Amino acid sequence: RHVLTPRTSWQSSYQRVHVARVYQDGPLGPGWQSPYWSRYVGDTDTADVRGTAQIASWLNLTGGYEFEREGYFDAQKNTLSPPDRIDVRTRIQQESHAGYFAGQLGLLDRRLQISFSGRAQAFRLGRPEFQLTGSASNYDRVQIQSPRKALTGDISIAYLLARSNTKFRAHLGNAYRAPSLYERFGGGFSANPITQVVEFSPYGDPLLLPDRYNSFDGGVDQYLLSNRVRISATAFYTRMQSLTAFDFSGAIQPDKDPYGRMMGYLNGSGGTSRGFELSVETRPLKSLTINGSYTYTDAKMDQALTVPGFRRIFGVPRHMGTLVITRYWTSRIDTSVDLFHGSSYYNSFYAGFDSRAFQ
């Protein structure tokens, strides 16, 4: 990071994430599982450069460029003799370039705060490399395309009524998630839920569409007792235009699927997530802070993706509560107690030749 002047600076950063996993049968002898071995390797390199300038006392601007490169490799094989031997290897790389900007306005003696941002991202997908023995792949027969361009924006407004010490705020934005390389080209060994025989299946769909979201939230903050207490209420609404899901309910049939899959990723229906949050933050003593919140979330899909007739989104409890108490003993020592409580929620559970909602 380099500070050019008291009002201008620039900074750059680089990070690399490397993941490697191996799945294989242990040495306990033969069982219903066939001996198999799977290895997955993923790398993500990200470089970023941005500049920040305070144009005026009431205006700050930021702009930047980001480069990201993703690499994916997997190797799947069993130790059976021909013609039952399977040896599958996949290697692919993808790059993306993004430009972005953000701004902050402070007007009316900073009682009115306006923030806005935008981002444009383009992708370039390299040609996959497939090595196959004992298994056919239809990925190389597909006209593979790069993910669509992503255009996202965001704006938020907050206004403070000084006389009553009340803040009103609102936010509107959209989001984009490109399908991962594993979701498009991954595969693996798994037990057939009907025959219980371990089989290899591709999981990915090279033509997956991105996930897109539109969201809005608004709320009010009330400050009391010389700002020692803040009470907040927020309502939120998120619209998911499309949701990527992993289906193993039997809806994907190998004889009809273009990639011969028994299970895998697909573009499911959209959905909505709506609700509200109530929170309080208080400092009864200079050395003690207490934060608590309650959130209600109603998250549903437009159509039942995995379990027939069940549209609630899995893994999302409707009721959540948090409590954090922090005590500052000295200038160098403090302790915190953190409590989280969530109500029951649902996951997908395969039983009786069908997927069920498991609470």
Side-chain angles (χ1 to χ4, degrees):
R1 183 171 183 265
H2 184 201
V3 178
L4 300 173
T5 71
R7 292 190 173 191
T8 59
S9 65
W10 68 272
Q11 66 183 51
S12 62
S13 63
Y14 166 79
Q15 72 171 16
R16 178 178 177 86
V17 178
H18 173 77
V19 178
R21 296 182 180 181
V22 175
Y23 298 88
Q24 65 185 85
D25 275 355
L28 297 182
W32 61 270
Q33 283 191 323
S34 301
Y36 70 93
W37 180 85
S38 299
R39 180 169 180 248
Y40 300 93
V41 179
D43 293 290
T44 303
D45 296 279
T46 306
D48 179 275
V49 58
R50 69 182 67 184
T52 301
Q54 185 177 3
I55 307 300
S57 60
W58 48 270
L59 175 61
N60 289 309
L61 292 178
T62 298
Y65 163 78
E66 180 187 86
F67 170 79
E68 187 171 81
R69 180 176 58 205
E70 299 174 78
Y72 172 75
F73 169 80
D74 70 29
Q76 322 272 348
K77 66 180 180 179
N78 59 22
T79 58
L80 301 180
S81 302
D84 298 320
R85 177 179 298 168
I86 294 178
D87 192 338
V88 178
R89 297 171 187 267
T90 303
R91 188 184 302 273
I92 190 170
Q93 184 171 287
Q94 177 174 280
E95 297 178 354
S96 74
H97 303 265
Y100 57 88
F101 70 91
Q104 291 182 320
L105 294 169
L107 306 174
L108 303 178
D109 293 331
R110 298 189 181 276
R111 296 197 308 273
L112 176 63
Q113 300 285 332
I114 302 175
S115 299
F116 54 90
S117 64
R119 179 182 173 94
Q121 187 172 10
F123 302 86
R124 188 178 71 85
L125 181 68
R127 183 163 185 82
E129 299 177 12
F130 301 109
Q131 299 179 19
L132 308 167
T133 300
S135 177
S137 172
N138 293 331
Y139 291 158
D140 52 0
R141 306 176 192 175
V142 179
Q143 187 65 35
I144 297 176
Q145 301 175 351
S146 299
R148 298 180 180 181
K149 293 181 180 179
L151 296 175
T152 55
D154 192 280
I155 184 170
S156 61
I157 300 176
Y159 181 74
L160 177 67
L161 290 176
R163 179 173 297 181
S164 61
N165 219 3
T166 305
K167 179 190 291 184
F168 297 93
R169 48 186 166 77
H171 161 260
L172 176 67
N174 69 324
Y176 174 106
R177 189 190 75 88
S180 69
L181 295 180
Y182 179 76
E183 290 171 333
R184 298 184 69 185
F185 300 98
F189 289 96
S190 60
N192 187 302
I194 299 177
T195 65
Q196 295 301 308
V197 175
V198 172
E199 301 173 345
F200 174 79
S201 173
Y203 296 152
D205 181 353
L207 302 181
L208 275 179
L209 298 176
D211 292 349
R212 296 181 182 272
Y213 307 83
N214 298 314
S215 62
F216 168 80
D217 61 81
V220 58
D221 300 329
Q222 180 62 58
Y223 297 86
L224 304 169
L225 301 178
S226 301
N227 294 335
R228 288 189 297 172
V229 177
R230 186 190 67 184
I231 302 174
S232 301
T234 304
F236 58 87
Y237 175 87
T238 299
R239 173 67 188 170
M240 296 161 282
Q241 296 176 333
S242 178
L243 193 64
T244 301
F246 186 88
D247 185 88
F248 57 94
S249 65
I252 299 178
Q253 301 179 16
D255 57 338
K256 297 180 180 180
D257 186 76
Y259 317 110
R261 302 178 298 172
M262 296 179 294
M263 60 189 73
Y265 291 94
L266 49 81
N267 283 123
S269 68
T272 58
S273 176
R274 69 189 79 190
F276 63 88
E277 181 179 82
L278 305 175
S279 65
V280 59
E281 178 181 350
T282 179
R283 184 184 288 267
L285 304 172
K286 289 185 178 180
S287 59
L288 179 66
T289 61
I290 301 174
N291 298 281
S293 69
Y294 164 76
T295 306
Y296 172 80
T297 305
D298 181 21
K300 293 181 179 179
M301 297 174 287
D302 294 337
Q303 300 175 355
L305 277 182
T306 305
V307 178
F310 190 85
R311 297 193 299 120
R312 283 183 59 179
I313 294 180
F314 294 115
V316 179
R318 282 190 169 177
H319 306 277
M320 290 186 294
T322 65
L323 178 65
V324 180
I325 302 174
T326 303
R327 177 71 156 85
Y328 301 90
W329 302 96
T330 69
S331 60
R332 298 185 179 184
I333 298 176
D334 61 81
T335 58
S336 293
V337 176
D338 191 335
L339 175 66
F340 168 82
H341 175 76
S343 64
S344 63
Y345 56 92
Y346 289 88
N347 278 328
S348 178
F349 182 75
Y350 193 92
F353 306 103
D354 201 0
S355 289
R356 314 290 181 90
F358 180 75
Q359 188 178 32

